[in-house]
Every structure is written in C-alpha cells, then in structure tokens.
Amino acid sequence: MTLTKILFTIGPASNRMEIVEALLREGARGVRFNFSHGDHRTHISNYRLVRGVSKSMGIPVATVMDLQGPKIRVDDLRQPVEVKAGELVEIGLMSREKRVKFIPFSYREVIESIDEGERVLIDDGKIVLKVISKGRDSFLSKVMVGGVVKSHKGLNLPETELNIPALTEKDREDLLFGIKTGFDYVALSFVRSPGDILELKDILKRHKSGMKVIAKIERPEA
C-alpha cells in the first residue's frame, strides 16, 4: 500500500492555505486541477498556492491537470423538459417528430455513431433513455428512467463508439498552458485507444515536456 497516493481536487471549497495544509497533514500527496471548470488565471493561482504550501511544509506534492475532453451537453432550452418513463423523446440537431418532446444538442457525430438499443444517460445518469430509431438529424428514444432535463446537462453514451477526438481544441490550449506552468501529470479523459495516448505524448515530446500521462478509462472500448 506504500505506492497508493491520496489525491484531492482543488477548487472553491479547498483553495485556501489552511485547507491545503490540513489535507497534506492528513496524507494527501497529489492535487487534481479540473480543467472542466475555471480559467487559466484561477488555475495558476491555485498552482502557486499548492507549490507554496508544499515547499513551506517540506512535503512533495504531485500536480495533476485533468483535461476536460469532449463534453456532450444539452443545448439551451426555453424551459426544463420533464420526461416520464415510457414516453418517446427526440434528441438531435432539429426535430422531425412534432408529436413528441424534443431535446436539442449540437453533435452530429453522435447521431452518426449511435445505434438502436443503446442507452443515453443525462445529468450524470439520473435520466436514462434507450434509442429506438434514428434519422439524419436526430434519434428517437424511449424513456427508461424519467426526470427533468435542463440546459447544459451532460449526455453520456456508455455503449456508443464515438468518432470524436479525445483531444479538443480547448484541451490543446490547456495542455500548452500546463506545460508552461510545470504540471507533473496530465490526465486524458475519455480515452478510446492507444492512439489517443500516443497523440498526447507526441505533443509533450514536441514541447520537450517531462509530464507523465494518466489514461482515464471511462469508455468500454478503452
């Protein structure tokens, strides 16, 4: 167990000196910076805080930048949409079924990749749907577990092999920031194949970075 490390995420609830000190005293030896939230100014401020506390306490701490990766989210809704178990719901770029509720999103790659029978999870799995048919611009699904769908909630497709790059433009910009800042590790989200890791390592090599890579296994094909 000596190789096991405690990692904590720094954010609004933990980015104060006394809290970082307390966490290090309790055994934390790694800090995760979540690049799904916050801007570079916030991250550099938190990075300096962690490095400063680490130095003053004489405790080595690893810094991990966790890239956002491709995020599939519900587009803007005029108002939340309640969906009930057994109902049919259309999801896509534009509606073709005027008689059912419609949830908009902007990812044609999802429509091209998804197949009948696959599940769609909304809002961290609180709402579950199953695809029953698809067209060019949308797919029709049946609600298995109902709830209220709100704007910008995440869509997760655990059974769909998506043709979406693991590294987005935002990730690339964040990675260059992380290299310049001096992070120890970079975590790649939604890894699908060795090629995703090799692409990331190639960028690090071109910029002469010694950052280590963490592959986050979040998809079945990984």
Side-chain angles (χ1 to χ4, degrees):
M1 294 296 290
T2 57
L3 296 179
T4 302
K5 304 297 181 185
I6 298 174
L7 187 77
F8 75 89
T9 298
I10 192 162
S14 60
N15 61 354
R16 296 191 300 279
M17 181 181 295
E18 62 272 19
I19 294 179
V20 175
E21 289 175 344
L23 288 165
L24 296 191
R25 280 196 297 269
E26 291 299 319
R29 293 297 180 265
V31 183
R32 170 181 173 262
F33 294 71
N34 185 359
F35 277 76
S36 294
H37 304 285
D39 54 21
H40 288 177
R41 179 182 297 179
T42 301
H43 290 308
I44 194 67
S45 175
N46 288 338
Y47 180 88
R48 289 169 178 165
L49 169 64
V50 169
R51 289 301 192 204
V53 173
S54 170
K55 183 177 180 179
S56 67
M57 296 181 70
I59 298 175
V61 176
T63 53
V64 182
M65 63 176 306
D66 190 353
L67 298 177
Q68 175 177 285
K71 289 289 186 181
I72 303 170
R73 297 188 182 277
V74 175
D75 284 350
D76 289 326
L77 297 169
R78 291 184 179 178
Q79 59 186 21
V81 177
E82 183 179 8
V83 296
K84 299 179 181 179
E87 278 188 324
L88 296 182
V89 175
E90 186 180 13
I91 302 175
L93 307 178
M94 60 179 63
S95 175
R96 61 188 173 93
E97 296 284 349
K98 303 300 182 183
R99 295 169 294 177
V100 302
K101 294 173 181 176
F102 177 67
I103 298 173
F105 78 135
S106 305
Y107 296 86
R108 182 172 295 280
E109 297 92 340
V110 170
I111 299 171
E112 294 171 350
S113 302
I114 204 164
D115 288 320
E116 293 179 15
E118 294 180 344
R119 291 178 300 150
V120 178
L121 311 181
I122 301 177
D123 194 4
D124 295 325
K126 295 183 179 71
I127 300 167
V128 182
L129 306 96
K130 181 173 287 188
V131 179
I132 59 174
S133 67
K134 73 172 184 176
R136 182 176 179 275
D137 297 316
S138 65
F139 56 86
L140 194 63
S141 58
K142 183 177 181 179
V143 180
M144 311 305 291
V145 179
V148 178
V149 181
K150 300 178 181 179
S151 298
H152 309 141
K153 290 299 181 181
L155 278 84
N156 186 20
L157 310 163
E159 297 155 357
T160 305
E161 293 189 17
L162 294 173
N163 295 316
I164 297 177
L167 277 171
T168 66
E169 285 304 312
K170 178 186 184 311
D171 293 332
R172 293 174 185 275
E173 293 174 5
D174 289 340
L175 181 59
L176 294 180
F177 164 80
I179 292 171
K180 182 179 179 180
T181 302
F183 281 90
D184 299 306
Y185 292 85
V186 54
L188 183 61
S189 300
F190 305 109
V191 172
R192 296 172 302 163
S193 69
D196 295 333
I197 298 298
L198 293 174
E199 181 183 6
L200 175 56
K201 286 187 172 183
D202 183 61
I203 296 173
L204 295 174
K205 183 178 180 180
R206 290 203 309 269
H207 288 85
K208 297 180 173 58
S209 171
M211 258 200 291
K212 304 296 184 183
V213 175
I214 298 172
K216 296 175 67 178
I217 307 301
E218 301 169 287
R219 301 199 54 79
E221 59 264 41

